[in-house]
Every structure is written in structure tokens, then in C-alpha cells.
Amino acid sequence: MSDNGRTPVDFWFDPLCPWAWMTSRWMLEVEKVRDVEVRWHVMSLAVLNEDRMDELPEQYREGLKDAWAPVRVVAAARELHGDEAVGPLYTALGTRFHNEDRGTGRDTIADALKDAGLPAELIDYADRDTYDAEVRASHQEGIDKVGQEVGTPVIAVPGADGEQIAFFGPVVTPAPQGEAAARLWDGTLLVAATPGFFEIKRTRTADPDFSNL
């Protein structure tokens, strides 16, 4: 349990991923209707795909060229200003990257830092490898819970026996709110906690819908 008695939910994200962003906004809804507290951790699509770049579509490879800057800034914020800096910065970044479609360049990241109440000089870490080891360690911590065949987000929550239940996703659009968010949370935990359960999946027929965020 967290210090405040709420159940901790560890959430690994890459700020670039629109599906992780959607899931993260659902998770904030779950916080309102279930006795949970989200703890944010960075992971990296660049790290996840670095050994299989030749297998990826060209458009996806191009997108990954910008993947290091945001996670480096998030990692620097965490190392220099504590865990509590991560959630607000992710919200500021994701709102600009996804809801507002403002791109992922330095100006957008700098604006997000300002909105999150963090020092402007953190933008300098976008081009530095100062905390790359911390990014990789955080990424590996999340991936080790679910295996290499997934992406972002990864969620881990204590199970009935105290051992963590971890899973990728859920991938959903738009982000459920209110009681719908609660039902999806309850169902996800029920499925994920079933011994021997591995996967439910169907073809995506819609793009991420940010209209209710």
C-alpha cells in the first residue's frame, strides 16, 4: 500500500505514444473512482526497438528519431526534482504532443516544462545522455514484468497474494470516464490475475480519439 493507504499502480509510458497517453488518461479517471494511486515511470520506444529498426516501417523509424528527447527530459526531471515531477510533466507533454498536435520539438518540450512548474534549463537534457542509464533501467524494470513482445504502456499492481500483476495496455479509445473507467479497471484486473492468462486482442479499427480529454 502507498503511505496514504491507497493501492499503488505503477505505470510505464513513453510520452510519444498516443495509445499510452490514452491509457494514462483513463488511469487518472480510475484514480477518481477506485482507491488507487498512480506512480509514473518512463520507458522508451527507442530502446524497445533499437535492435529491430530494420524490421520497422519507414514512417515509424522516422518517428523514433525524436523519441529520445522527451524521455531524457522526463528522466532528468525525476532525478533532479523527484518522482512527483513526472506525472505533471507527462500531462503537459502529452497534452501538447497528442491533444494539441503541436509536435515534439524542443519548443514544445520547453513549453511543457513551464506548464509543469519545472526549471527551463531541463530542456538542455534533451540532447544529453546524462540520464540515459536511468532511462534504460526504468524501461527494463517495466519490460521485465511483461516480456519483450509488448510496448507502452505497462501497468503493474499488487495482486491478492502481494505479488505484482503486470500487463501491457489496455489499448482503448476514447478513454473511458466515470463508472465506465471503473468497470474497465475491474475487468482488466480480473483477467490479468487469472493464472495462465496471456492475451486478448482484436484489430484496431479506430485512431486515438482525444475529444473527451
Side-chain angles (χ1 to χ4, degrees), residues 132-197:
D132 282 10
E134 285 76 8
V135 170
R136 289 180 179 277
S138 181
H139 173 91
Q140 197 62 47
E141 182 184 9
I143 285 294
D144 282 347
K145 296 179 184 299
V146 290
Q148 292 287 337
E149 298 177 359
V150 303
T152 177
V154 170
I155 294 175
V157 61
D161 60 359
E163 294 295 321
Q164 277 194 320
I165 300 167
F167 50 88
F168 161 71
V171 176
V172 61
T173 185
Q177 298 182 333
E179 187 56 30
R183 289 195 302 269
L184 179 57
W185 176 248
D186 295 343
T188 299
L189 291 186
L190 178 64
V191 169
T194 300
F197 175 82

Side-chain angles (χ1 to χ4, degrees), residues 8-213:
V9 177
D10 292 296
F11 189 109
W12 281 263
F13 67 92
D14 185 313
L16 285 189
C17 180
W19 293 104
W21 172 247
M22 191 72 68
T23 306
S24 75
R25 300 309 93 179
W26 162 70
M27 203 64 244
L28 291 182
E29 282 291 308
V30 174
E31 274 193 323
K32 300 175 185 177
V33 292
R34 291 293 183 266
D35 198 21
V36 301
E37 180 179 48
V38 183
R39 302 188 300 197
W40 305 101
H41 310 273
V42 73
M43 63 184 297
S44 170
L45 291 172
V47 173
L48 182 70
N49 292 289
E50 62 186 353
D51 294 329
R52 51 180 177 177
M53 292 293 287
D54 293 343
E55 305 169 15
L56 300 174
E58 182 178 356
Q59 184 177 4
Y60 194 84
R61 291 199 305 270
E62 286 297 312
L64 287 178
K65 290 181 179 179
D66 298 325
W68 269 106
V71 296
R72 281 172 166 167
V73 172
V74 173
R78 179 186 180 277
E79 293 299 317
L80 298 175
H81 299 280
D83 290 336
E84 61 274 14
V86 178
L89 180 54
Y90 181 29
T91 291
L93 289 168
T95 299
R96 286 159 177 77
F97 290 176
H98 306 299
N99 296 28
E100 300 173 1
D101 195 22
R102 291 173 54 181
T104 59
R106 288 178 63 95
D107 288 347
T108 304
I109 298 172
D111 195 36
L113 285 168
K114 181 179 179 180
D115 191 47
L118 291 165
E121 56 266 25
L122 284 174
I123 189 61
D124 294 335
Y125 289 93
D127 302 317
R128 298 176 183 172
D129 63 2
T130 309
Y131 298 113
D132 282 10
E134 285 76 8
V135 170
R136 289 180 179 277
S138 181
H139 173 91
Q140 197 62 47
E141 182 184 9
I143 285 294
D144 282 347
K145 296 179 184 299
V146 290
Q148 292 287 337
E149 298 177 359
V150 303
T152 177
V154 170
I155 294 175
V157 61
D161 60 359
E163 294 295 321
Q164 277 194 320
I165 300 167
F167 50 88
F168 161 71
V171 176
V172 61
T173 185
Q177 298 182 333
E179 187 56 30
R183 289 195 302 269
L184 179 57
W185 176 248
D186 295 343
T188 299
L189 291 186
L190 178 64
V191 169
T194 300
F197 175 82
F198 295 107
E199 185 172 5
I200 287 179
K201 192 170 185 177
R202 58 186 173 192
T203 300
R204 298 177 195 173
T205 57
D207 293 328
D209 178 359
F210 308 120
S211 60
N212 67 343
L213 302 181

